[in-house]
Coordinates of all heavy atoms in Angstrom, one line a residue:
M771 N 0.8 -1.2 0.0 CA 0.0 0.0 0.0 C 0.8 1.2 0.0 O 0.5 2.2 -0.6 CB -0.9 0.0 1.3 CG -1.8 -1.1 1.4 SD -2.8 -1.4 -0.1 CE -2.7 -3.2 -0.2
T772 N 2.0 1.1 0.6 CA 2.8 2.5 0.7 C 3.9 2.5 -0.4 O 4.8 1.7 -0.5 CB 3.6 2.5 2.0 OG1 4.2 1.2 2.2 CG2 2.7 2.7 3.2
Y773 N 3.6 3.4 -1.4 CA 4.4 3.5 -2.5 C 5.8 4.2 -2.2 O 6.6 4.3 -2.9 CB 3.7 4.1 -3.6 CG 3.3 5.6 -3.4 CD1 4.1 6.7 -3.5 CD2 2.0 5.8 -2.7 CE1 3.8 7.9 -3.3 CE2 1.6 7.1 -2.4 CZ 2.5 8.1 -2.8 OH 2.2 9.5 -2.4
D774 N 5.8 4.9 -1.1 CA 7.1 5.7 -0.7 C 8.2 4.8 -0.4 O 9.3 5.4 -0.4 CB 6.6 6.5 0.5 CG 6.0 5.8 1.7 OD1 4.8 5.7 1.6 OD2 6.7 5.4 2.5
R775 N 8.0 3.5 -0.3 CA 9.1 2.6 0.0 C 9.5 2.0 -1.4 O 10.5 1.3 -1.4 CB 8.7 1.5 0.9 CG 8.7 2.0 2.3 CD 8.5 0.9 3.3 NE 8.2 1.5 4.7 CZ 7.7 0.8 5.7 NH1 7.1 -0.2 5.4 NH2 7.6 1.5 6.8
L776 N 8.8 2.1 -2.5 CA 9.2 1.7 -3.8 C 10.4 2.3 -4.4 O 10.4 3.7 -4.2 CB 8.0 1.7 -4.7 CG 6.9 0.7 -4.5 CD1 5.7 1.0 -5.4 CD2 7.3 -0.7 -4.6
V777 N 11.2 1.6 -4.8 CA 12.4 2.3 -5.6 C 12.2 2.2 -7.2 O 11.9 1.1 -7.7 CB 13.8 1.6 -5.1 CG1 14.9 2.2 -5.9 CG2 14.0 1.8 -3.7
C778 N 12.4 3.3 -7.8 CA 12.2 3.3 -9.2 C 13.3 2.5 -10.0 O 14.5 2.6 -9.5 CB 12.3 4.8 -9.7 SG 12.1 4.9 -11.4
A779 N 12.9 1.8 -11.0 CA 13.8 1.0 -11.6 C 14.7 1.9 -12.7 O 15.6 1.4 -13.2 CB 13.0 -0.1 -12.4
N780 N 14.1 3.0 -12.9 CA 14.8 3.9 -13.9 C 15.9 4.8 -13.3 O 16.9 4.9 -13.9 CB 13.7 4.8 -14.6 CG 14.2 5.5 -15.8 OD1 15.0 5.0 -16.6 ND2 13.9 6.7 -15.8
C781 N 15.6 5.3 -12.1 CA 16.5 6.3 -11.6 C 16.9 5.8 -10.3 O 17.9 6.4 -9.6 CB 15.9 7.8 -11.5 SG 14.5 7.8 -10.3
A782 N 16.5 4.7 -9.7 CA 16.9 4.1 -8.4 C 16.6 5.0 -7.2 O 17.3 4.8 -6.2 CB 18.4 3.7 -8.5
A783 N 15.8 6.0 -7.3 CA 15.4 6.8 -6.3 C 14.0 6.5 -5.8 O 13.3 5.8 -6.5 CB 15.4 8.3 -6.7
P784 N 13.6 6.8 -4.6 CA 12.3 6.5 -4.1 C 11.2 7.0 -5.1 O 11.4 8.2 -5.5 CB 12.2 7.1 -2.7 CG 13.6 7.2 -2.3 CD 14.4 7.5 -3.6
V785 N 10.2 6.2 -5.4 CA 9.2 6.6 -6.4 C 8.4 7.9 -5.9 O 8.0 8.8 -6.7 CB 8.3 5.4 -6.7 CG1 7.0 6.0 -7.4 CG2 9.0 4.4 -7.5
S786 N 8.3 7.9 -4.6 CA 7.5 9.0 -3.9 C 8.2 10.4 -4.2 O 7.6 11.5 -4.1 CB 7.4 8.8 -2.5 OG 8.8 8.8 -1.9
E787 N 9.5 10.4 -4.5 CA 10.2 11.7 -4.8 C 10.0 12.1 -6.1 O 10.1 13.4 -6.4 CB 11.6 11.5 -4.6 CG 12.0 11.3 -3.1 CD 13.5 11.2 -2.9 OE1 14.2 11.7 -3.8 OE2 14.0 10.8 -1.8
G788 N 9.5 11.3 -7.1 CA 9.1 11.8 -8.5 C 10.3 12.4 -9.2 O 10.2 13.4 -9.7
R789 N 11.5 11.7 -9.1 CA 12.6 12.5 -9.8 C 12.7 12.3 -11.3 O 13.3 13.1 -12.0 CB 13.9 11.8 -9.2 CG 14.2 12.2 -7.7 CD 15.4 11.8 -7.3 NE 15.7 12.0 -5.9 CZ 16.8 11.7 -5.2 NH1 17.7 11.0 -5.9 NH2 17.0 11.9 -3.9
C790 N 12.0 11.2 -11.8 CA 12.0 11.1 -13.2 C 10.6 10.8 -13.6 O 9.7 10.5 -12.9 CB 13.0 9.9 -13.7 SG 12.3 8.3 -13.3
P791 N 10.3 10.8 -15.0 CA 8.9 10.5 -15.4 C 8.5 9.2 -15.0 O 7.2 9.1 -14.9 CB 9.1 10.7 -17.0 CG 10.3 11.5 -17.3 CD 11.2 11.3 -16.1
V792 N 9.3 8.2 -15.1 CA 8.8 6.9 -14.5 C 8.3 7.0 -13.1 O 7.3 6.3 -12.9 CB 9.9 5.9 -14.7 CG1 9.5 4.5 -14.2 CG2 10.4 5.8 -16.2
C793 N 9.0 7.7 -12.3 CA 8.6 7.8 -10.9 C 7.3 8.5 -10.9 O 6.4 8.1 -10.1 CB 9.6 8.7 -10.1 SG 11.1 7.9 -9.7
R794 N 7.1 9.6 -11.6 CA 5.9 10.3 -11.5 C 4.7 9.5 -12.0 O 3.6 9.5 -11.4 CB 6.0 11.6 -12.2 CG 6.9 12.6 -11.5 CD 6.8 14.0 -12.0 NE 7.6 14.2 -13.4 CZ 8.9 14.4 -13.5 NH1 9.5 14.6 -12.4 NH2 9.5 14.5 -14.6
A795 N 5.0 8.8 -13.1 CA 3.9 7.9 -13.6 C 3.5 6.8 -12.6 O 2.2 6.6 -12.5 CB 4.3 7.3 -14.9
N796 N 4.5 6.2 -12.1 CA 4.2 5.2 -11.0 C 3.5 5.7 -9.9 O 2.5 5.1 -9.4 CB 5.5 4.5 -10.7 CG 6.0 3.4 -11.6 OD1 5.1 2.8 -12.2 ND2 7.2 3.2 -11.7
R797 N 4.0 6.9 -9.4 CA 3.3 7.5 -8.2 C 1.9 7.9 -8.5 O 1.0 7.6 -7.8 CB 4.1 8.8 -7.9 CG 3.7 9.4 -6.6 CD 4.6 10.5 -6.2 NE 4.6 11.7 -7.4 CZ 5.2 12.8 -7.2 NH1 5.9 13.0 -6.1 NH2 5.2 13.7 -8.2
E798 N 1.6 8.4 -9.7 CA 0.2 8.8 -10.1 C -0.6 7.5 -10.1 O -1.7 7.5 -9.6 CB 0.2 9.6 -11.3 CG 0.5 11.1 -11.1 CD 0.4 11.8 -12.4 OE1 -0.5 11.4 -13.3 OE2 1.1 12.8 -12.5
R799 N 0.0 6.5 -10.8 CA -0.9 5.2 -11.0 C -1.1 4.6 -9.6 O -2.3 4.2 -9.3 CB 0.0 4.3 -11.8 CG -0.7 3.1 -12.1 CD 0.1 2.2 -13.1 NE 1.5 1.8 -12.5 CZ 1.7 0.9 -11.7 NH1 0.6 0.1 -11.4 NH2 2.8 0.6 -11.2
L800 N -0.2 4.7 -8.7 CA -0.4 4.1 -7.4 C -1.3 4.9 -6.6 O -2.2 4.4 -5.8 CB 1.0 3.9 -6.6 CG 1.8 2.8 -7.2 CD1 3.3 3.0 -6.8 CD2 1.3 1.4 -6.8
Q801 N -1.1 6.2 -6.7 CA -2.2 7.0 -5.9 C -3.6 6.9 -6.4 O -4.5 6.9 -5.6 CB -1.6 8.5 -6.0 CG -0.6 8.8 -5.1 CD -0.1 10.2 -5.3 OE1 -0.3 10.8 -6.4 NE2 0.6 10.8 -4.2
Q802 N -3.7 6.6 -7.7 CA -5.0 6.4 -8.2 C -5.6 5.0 -7.9 O -6.7 4.9 -7.6 CB -5.0 6.7 -9.7 CG -5.0 8.0 -10.1 CD -4.8 8.3 -11.6 OE1 -4.6 7.3 -12.4 NE2 -4.9 9.5 -12.1
E803 N -4.7 4.1 -7.8 CA -5.2 2.7 -7.6 C -5.4 2.5 -6.1 O -6.2 1.7 -5.7 CB -4.1 1.7 -8.0 CG -4.2 1.5 -9.6 CD -3.2 0.5 -10.0 OE1 -2.7 -0.2 -9.2 OE2 -3.1 0.3 -11.3
H804 N -4.7 3.2 -5.2 CA -4.8 2.9 -3.8 C -6.3 3.1 -3.3 O -6.9 2.2 -2.7 CB -3.9 3.8 -3.1 CG -4.1 3.6 -1.6 ND1 -3.9 2.3 -1.0 CD2 -4.3 4.4 -0.5 CE1 -4.1 2.4 0.4 NE2 -4.3 3.7 0.6
P805 N -7.0 4.3 -3.5 CA -8.4 4.4 -3.0 C -9.2 3.4 -3.7 O -10.2 2.9 -3.2 CB -8.7 5.8 -3.3 CG -7.7 6.4 -4.3 CD -6.5 5.4 -4.1
L806 N -9.0 3.1 -5.0 CA -9.9 2.2 -5.8 C -9.7 0.8 -5.2 O -10.8 0.2 -5.0 CB -9.5 2.2 -7.2 CG -9.9 3.5 -8.0 CD1 -9.5 3.6 -9.4 CD2 -11.5 3.6 -7.9
S807 N -8.5 0.3 -5.0 CA -8.3 -1.0 -4.6 C -8.8 -1.2 -3.1 O -9.1 -2.3 -2.7 CB -6.9 -1.4 -4.7 OG -6.0 -0.6 -3.9
G808 N -8.7 -0.1 -2.4 CA -9.1 -0.2 -1.0 C -10.6 0.0 -0.8 O -11.2 -0.7 0.1
L809 N -11.2 0.8 -1.5 CA -12.7 1.1 -1.3 C -13.6 0.5 -2.3 O -14.7 0.0 -2.0 CB -12.8 2.7 -1.3 CG -13.0 3.3 0.0 CD1 -12.9 4.8 -0.2 CD2 -14.3 2.9 0.5
H810 N -13.2 0.6 -3.6 CA -14.1 0.2 -4.6 C -14.7 -1.2 -4.6 O -15.9 -1.3 -4.7 CB -13.5 0.5 -6.0 CG -14.5 0.8 -7.0 ND1 -15.4 1.8 -7.0 CD2 -14.7 0.2 -8.2 CE1 -16.0 1.8 -8.1 NE2 -15.8 0.9 -8.8
P811 N -14.0 -2.2 -4.4 CA -14.5 -3.6 -4.3 C -15.5 -3.7 -3.2 O -16.6 -4.3 -3.5 CB -13.3 -4.5 -4.1 CG -12.1 -3.8 -4.5 CD -12.5 -2.2 -4.3
M812 N -15.2 -3.2 -2.0 CA -16.2 -3.3 -1.0 C -17.4 -2.5 -1.3 O -18.6 -2.9 -1.0 CB -15.6 -2.8 0.3 CG -14.5 -3.7 1.0 SD -15.1 -5.4 1.1 CE -16.4 -5.2 2.3
A813 N -17.2 -1.3 -1.8 CA -18.5 -0.4 -2.1 C -19.2 -1.2 -3.2 O -20.5 -1.1 -3.2 CB -17.9 0.9 -2.6
L814 N -18.5 -1.9 -4.2 CA -19.3 -2.5 -5.3 C -20.1 -3.7 -4.7 O -21.2 -3.9 -5.0 CB -18.2 -3.0 -6.2 CG -18.7 -3.0 -7.7 CD1 -18.6 -1.5 -8.3 CD2 -17.9 -3.9 -8.5
I815 N -19.5 -4.4 -3.8 CA -20.1 -5.5 -3.1 C -21.3 -5.1 -2.3 O -22.4 -5.7 -2.4 CB -19.1 -6.3 -2.2 CG1 -18.1 -7.1 -3.1 CG2 -19.9 -7.3 -1.3 CD1 -16.9 -7.6 -2.4
A816 N -21.2 -4.1 -1.6 CA -22.3 -3.5 -0.9 C -23.4 -3.0 -1.7 O -24.6 -3.3 -1.5 CB -21.7 -2.3 0.1
L817 N -23.0 -2.4 -2.8 CA -24.0 -1.9 -3.7 C -24.8 -3.1 -4.4 O -26.0 -3.1 -4.5 CB -23.4 -1.0 -4.8 CG -24.3 -0.2 -5.6 CD1 -24.9 1.0 -4.9 CD2 -23.6 0.3 -6.9
A818 N -24.0 -4.2 -4.8 CA -24.6 -5.3 -5.3 C -25.5 -6.0 -4.4 O -26.6 -6.3 -4.7 CB -23.6 -6.3 -5.8
A819 N -25.2 -6.1 -3.1 CA -26.0 -6.6 -2.1 C -27.4 -5.8 -1.9 O -28.4 -6.3 -1.9 CB -25.3 -6.7 -0.7
V820 N -27.2 -4.5 -2.0 CA -28.4 -3.7 -1.8 C -29.3 -3.9 -3.0 O -30.5 -4.0 -2.9 CB -28.0 -2.2 -1.6 CG1 -29.1 -1.3 -1.8 CG2 -27.4 -2.0 -0.3
V821 N -28.7 -3.8 -4.2 CA -29.5 -4.0 -5.4 C -30.2 -5.5 -5.5 O -31.3 -5.5 -5.8 CB -28.6 -3.8 -6.6 CG1 -29.3 -4.3 -7.9 CG2 -28.2 -2.4 -6.7
I822 N -29.4 -6.4 -5.0 CA -30.1 -7.8 -5.1 C -31.2 -7.9 -4.0 O -32.3 -8.4 -4.4 CB -29.0 -8.8 -4.8 CG1 -28.0 -9.0 -6.0 CG2 -29.6 -10.2 -4.4 CD1 -26.7 -9.6 -5.7
A823 N -31.0 -7.2 -2.8 CA -31.9 -7.3 -1.8 C -33.3 -6.5 -2.3 O -34.4 -7.0 -2.1 CB -31.4 -6.6 -0.6
A824 N -33.0 -5.3 -3.0 CA -34.1 -4.6 -3.4 C -34.9 -5.4 -4.5 O -36.2 -5.4 -4.5 CB -33.6 -3.3 -4.0
L825 N -34.1 -6.0 -5.4 CA -34.8 -6.9 -6.5 C -35.6 -8.0 -5.9 O -36.7 -8.4 -6.3 CB -33.8 -7.3 -7.5 CG -33.2 -6.2 -8.4 CD1 -32.0 -6.8 -9.3 CD2 -34.4 -5.7 -9.4
A826 N -35.0 -8.6 -4.9 CA -35.7 -9.8 -4.2 C -37.0 -9.4 -3.5 O -38.0 -10.0 -3.7 CB -34.7 -10.4 -3.3
L827 N -36.9 -8.2 -2.9 CA -38.1 -7.6 -2.3 C -39.1 -7.3 -3.3 O -40.3 -7.6 -3.2 CB -37.8 -6.4 -1.5 CG -37.2 -6.6 0.0 CD1 -36.7 -5.4 0.5 CD2 -38.3 -7.1 0.7
L828 N -38.7 -6.7 -4.4 CA -39.6 -6.3 -5.4 C -40.3 -7.6 -6.1 O -41.4 -7.6 -6.3 CB -38.8 -5.5 -6.5 CG -39.7 -4.6 -7.4 CD1 -40.1 -3.4 -6.6 CD2 -38.9 -4.1 -8.6
A829 N -39.5 -8.5 -6.3 CA -40.0 -9.8 -6.9 C -41.0 -10.4 -6.0 O -42.0 -11.0 -6.3 CB -38.9 -10.8 -7.2
A830 N -40.6 -10.5 -4.7 CA -41.5 -11.2 -3.7 C -42.8 -10.4 -3.6 O -43.8 -10.9 -3.5 CB -40.7 -11.2 -2.3
H831 N -42.7 -9.0 -3.6 CA -43.8 -8.2 -3.5 C -44.7 -8.5 -4.7 O -46.1 -8.5 -4.6 CB -43.5 -6.8 -3.4 CG -44.6 -5.9 -3.1 ND1 -45.2 -5.9 -1.9 CD2 -45.2 -4.9 -3.8 CE1 -46.2 -5.0 -1.9 NE2 -46.3 -4.4 -3.1
Q832 N -44.1 -8.6 -5.9 CA -45.0 -8.7 -7.1 C -45.7 -10.1 -7.2 O -46.8 -10.2 -7.7 CB -44.1 -8.5 -8.4 CG -43.8 -7.0 -8.6 CD -42.9 -6.8 -9.8 OE1 -42.3 -7.7 -10.3 NE2 -42.8 -5.5 -10.2
T833 N -45.0 -11.2 -6.7 CA -45.6 -12.4 -6.9 C -46.7 -12.6 -5.8 O -47.6 -13.4 -6.0 CB -44.5 -13.5 -6.6 OG1 -43.7 -13.2 -5.5 CG2 -43.6 -13.7 -7.9
V834 N -46.6 -11.9 -4.7 CA -47.7 -12.1 -3.6 C -48.9 -11.2 -3.9 O -49.3 -10.9 -4.9 CB -47.1 -11.6 -2.3 CG1 -48.2 -11.6 -1.3 CG2 -46.1 -12.6 -1.8
Ligands
ZN1394 ZN1 12.6 7.3 -11.4

């Protein structure tokens, strides 16, 4: 999760320092992926559960 410990393969400096374009690209990619990988799957699962529950309730209501 912590990209500040990653060392760039291009300039051998910490990626968090952004010394070269590769560092900056990696830093941006990791910063964008971090909230998505931490939050998005769980939010998606929760949303799916809510939608499925709502559809089940709707289907049960319609059949009765
Ligand atoms: Zn670099």
Side-chain angles (χ1 to χ4, degrees):
M771 299 311 135
T772 50
Y773 63 89
D774 46 276
R775 283 182 189 162
L776 286 176
V777 174
C778 178
N780 190 43
C781 67
V785 169
S786 60
E787 291 184 17
R789 289 186 187 180
C790 75
V792 175
C793 287
R794 287 193 285 274
N796 277 326
R797 189 175 56 178
E798 279 183 28
R799 185 174 56 85
L800 288 163
Q801 279 177 337
Q802 281 174 355
E803 278 182 12
H804 178 56
L806 285 175
S807 61
L809 253 170
H810 206 57
M812 285 310 295
L814 215 80
I815 288 164
L817 193 73
V820 168
V821 168
I822 288 164
L825 285 172
L827 273 170
L828 202 74
H831 188 69
Q832 280 177 346
T833 47
V834 169

